[in-house]
Amino acid sequence: MRGAVEKICARFNDDYWLKRDDDGEFPEEFYRALADAGWLGICIPESYGGSGLGVGEAAIMMQAITASGAGLSGASAVHMNIFGLNPVVVYGTEDQKRRMLPPVAAGREKACFAVTEPNAGLETAKLQTRAERRGDVYVVNGAKIWISTAQVADKMLILARTRPIEQVRKPTEGLSLFYTALDRRFVEVREIAKMGRKAVDSNQVFIDGLEVPVEDRIGEDGRGFEYILHGFNPERILVAAEAIGLGRAALLRATAYAKERVVFGRPIGQNQAIQHPLAECWMELEAAELMTLKAAWLYDRGEPCGPAANAAKYLAAEAGFKACQTAVMTHGGYGYAKEYHVERYLREILIPRIAPVTPQLILCFIAEKVLGLPKSY
Ligand SMILES: Cc1cc2nc3c(=O)[nH]c(=O)nc-3n(C[C@H](O)[C@H](O)[C@H](O)COP(=O)(O)OP(=O)(O)OC[C@H]3O[C@@H](n4cnc5c(N)ncnc54)[C@H](O)[C@@H]3O)c2cc1C
């Protein structure tokens, strides 16, 4: 599997990704190449046009993409197709699965995931976007932020409040999940100028009177938070795999450069001060990969994997970050030049550190759920 994905990625060289990072164009050719070879439906059941494989396989695929040098520009272009529609797979009706899954598996439709809000941040349950039921439709009003691929998406998976927070027992109740058309007559999408991954847009999204048919609600009214929670662990696993791949790409470049670059009459890689950080990066990436595969294995066996998935995402993002930063430092001044690619990796690796959940919140989760310490927030 890894070999097959690598073969496709090899058609998109470093210059291709450098150019996308510069012009900000969506990597459509790359997206198409993976779609045409059938990779986008890797986690979608075979009866709906996919391959029906697990998160373990998807993790290998995503790692191969970032490791090829495509980085997060490549991975984020397809990320939503890979696991984003899991709530539909698990909680959708037969009609919804037939309608929603095949176009995503075939790459005919792009989707975005609209959860984060400006006034809620990591406190998802406090989101303010409202979906009011009026007969056969819900009317949605609100604002989202950081929504990736909303410039190119045809559909969005959106979480909105259908019952006021004052009328529910817990803030996590009363939220509903919809997978619906991103109708630009009622949805304004404003791109956020950002530090890296220019080719895959992230946006402010303003929703004003969007009518969503009841048939586009996934699962029961009011249980949307529960449904997206189910998808959080596999998403953390995929993000971990993406971070490891990018860390490996950086390490490869740094090691090659350390062998070639001669200063003081010898390759810089002959100095322990250059070697040791690279050796540490290798070990930390290997360890993070084991944790990621453990989490994927647990998930695919249907076993609880929250601590492993969170730990994997934390360890992989930190190890990937260290590898990208070390790669820039190993290159000295050249590390700062775009043509050596590692500065792009460093800008991109910050994304898996921050999203979909920050390292601080993962530490809070482990402290509370694994170590039994009092909830701190
Ligand atoms: C490039 C990019 C793409 C993204 N794509 C998407 C997308 O497609 N869809 C989507 O829905 N979202 C997306 N996001 C949003 C992302 O998931 C959020 O940015 C992330 O969850 C953090 O939320 P926030 O930015 O609101 O941080 P905040 O909640 O404002 O937190 C700010 C800081 O405070 C810390 N903090 C907050 N509370 C505590 C506490 N109790 N203890 C310790 N520290 C705390 C946080 O860890 C963080 O460091 C994306 C973000 C980025 C940067």
Side-chain angles (χ1 to χ4, degrees):
M1 261 192 57
R2 192 190 299 275
V5 175
E6 280 171 353
K7 226 168 158 182
I8 296 173
C9 293
R11 285 159 42 196
F12 301 88
N13 63 17
D14 295 326
D15 290 339
Y16 175 84
W17 294 110
L18 183 60
K19 200 143 183 277
R20 292 295 78 79
D21 187 58
D22 195 39
D23 62 23
E25 272 179 34
F26 186 82
E28 192 63 44
E29 310 79 2
F30 174 77
Y31 177 90
R32 274 263 60 83
L34 284 173
D36 292 346
W39 288 103
L40 296 190
I42 184 168
C43 290
I44 291 176
E46 282 176 282
S47 39
Y48 306 105
S51 315
L53 295 172
V55 165
E57 286 88 352
I60 289 169
M61 170 186 171
M62 298 312 279
Q63 193 178 317
I65 290 175
T66 51
S68 75
L72 268 294
S73 301
S76 302
V78 298
H79 182 98
M80 186 64 192
N81 294 64
I82 302 306
F83 213 81
L85 263 61
N86 186 248
V88 178
V89 173
V90 180
Y91 303 103
T93 62
E94 186 55 31
D95 166 64
Q96 287 175 330
K97 291 183 201 177
R98 291 204 182 290
R99 219 163 25 96
M100 297 169 179
L101 299 176
V104 169
R108 285 196 305 278
E109 272 179 8
K110 296 191 182 79
C112 63
F113 183 58
V115 172
T116 307
E117 293 197 4
N119 296 328
L122 287 157
E123 203 176 0
T124 309
K126 292 280 172 69
L127 60 77
Q128 293 167 350
T129 296
R130 289 293 317 269
E132 268 176 64
R133 179 97 187 238
R134 290 195 202 144
D136 288 344
V137 296
Y138 285 87
V139 180
V140 182
N141 286 289
K144 299 279 177 183
I145 196 161
W146 286 114
I147 310 311
S148 297
T149 70
Q151 296 285 341
V152 292
D154 310 282
K155 295 278 171 69
M156 64 177 166
L157 188 67
I158 179 170
L159 191 65
R161 186 158 282 288
T162 43
R163 228 173 306 142
I165 200 158
E166 304 78 37
Q167 293 175 18
V168 290
R169 281 179 303 149
K170 290 189 290 180
T172 48
E173 291 176 2
L175 296 165
S176 299
L177 189 65
F178 304 91
Y179 184 66
T180 197
L182 199 165
D183 185 340
R184 287 166 204 275
R185 289 173 303 167
F186 307 99
V187 182
E188 189 195 336
V189 179
R190 255 186 246 161
E191 186 162 1
I192 300 169
K194 61 190 191 313
M195 184 184 198
R197 206 196 66 182
K198 194 176 175 190
V200 181
D201 54 270
S202 294
N203 307 276
Q204 284 181 284
V205 172
F206 302 93
I207 307 156
D208 185 8
L210 176 72
E211 292 195 355
V212 176
V214 173
E215 305 88 79
D216 288 355
R217 191 192 68 224
I218 308 302
E220 287 175 38
D221 187 296
R223 293 183 61 188
F225 187 81
E226 209 182 298
Y227 304 151
I228 61 157
L229 211 58
H230 183 90
F232 276 174
N233 288 329
E235 187 179 29
R236 284 164 179 40
I237 295 167
L238 294 188
V239 169
E242 292 166 20
I244 293 163
L246 188 53
R248 291 242 169 92
L251 185 59
L252 198 67
R253 283 196 165 271
T255 312
Y257 189 79
K259 287 176 190 163
E260 271 168 26
R261 174 72 171 163
V262 175
V263 185
F264 294 110
R266 58 189 182 157
I268 57 167
Q270 206 174 330
N271 302 304
Q272 289 182 347
I274 291 287
Q275 288 183 359
H276 288 185
L278 295 173
E280 269 176 20
C281 288
W282 181 85
M283 292 190 291
E284 288 170 19
L285 288 167
E286 290 287 312
E289 186 180 39
L290 279 180
M291 181 56 94
T292 304
L293 293 174
K294 175 181 172 180
W297 179 76
L298 288 171
Y299 181 85
D300 286 335
R301 286 164 59 96
E303 292 185 29
C305 69
N310 277 281
K313 149 48 184 139
Y314 178 98
L315 295 171
E318 298 307 310
F321 176 71
K322 184 165 162 184
C324 293
Q325 193 182 35
T326 305
V328 170
M329 296 310 285
T330 303
H331 281 74
Y334 297 92
Y336 213 62
K338 291 201 178 229
E339 68 174 288
Y340 285 82
H341 304 287
V342 286
E343 65 79 38
R344 181 171 85 251
Y345 298 171
L346 182 58
R347 285 184 283 114
E348 289 192 352
I349 198 69
L350 280 160
I351 300 173
R353 278 188 100 194
I354 298 169
V357 61
T358 60
Q360 291 91 336
L361 265 281
I362 290 184
L363 293 171
C364 292
F365 173 87
I366 298 291
E368 183 198 340
K369 303 285 182 199
V370 181
L371 305 180
L373 294 166
K375 187 170 178 168
S376 63
Y377 57 96

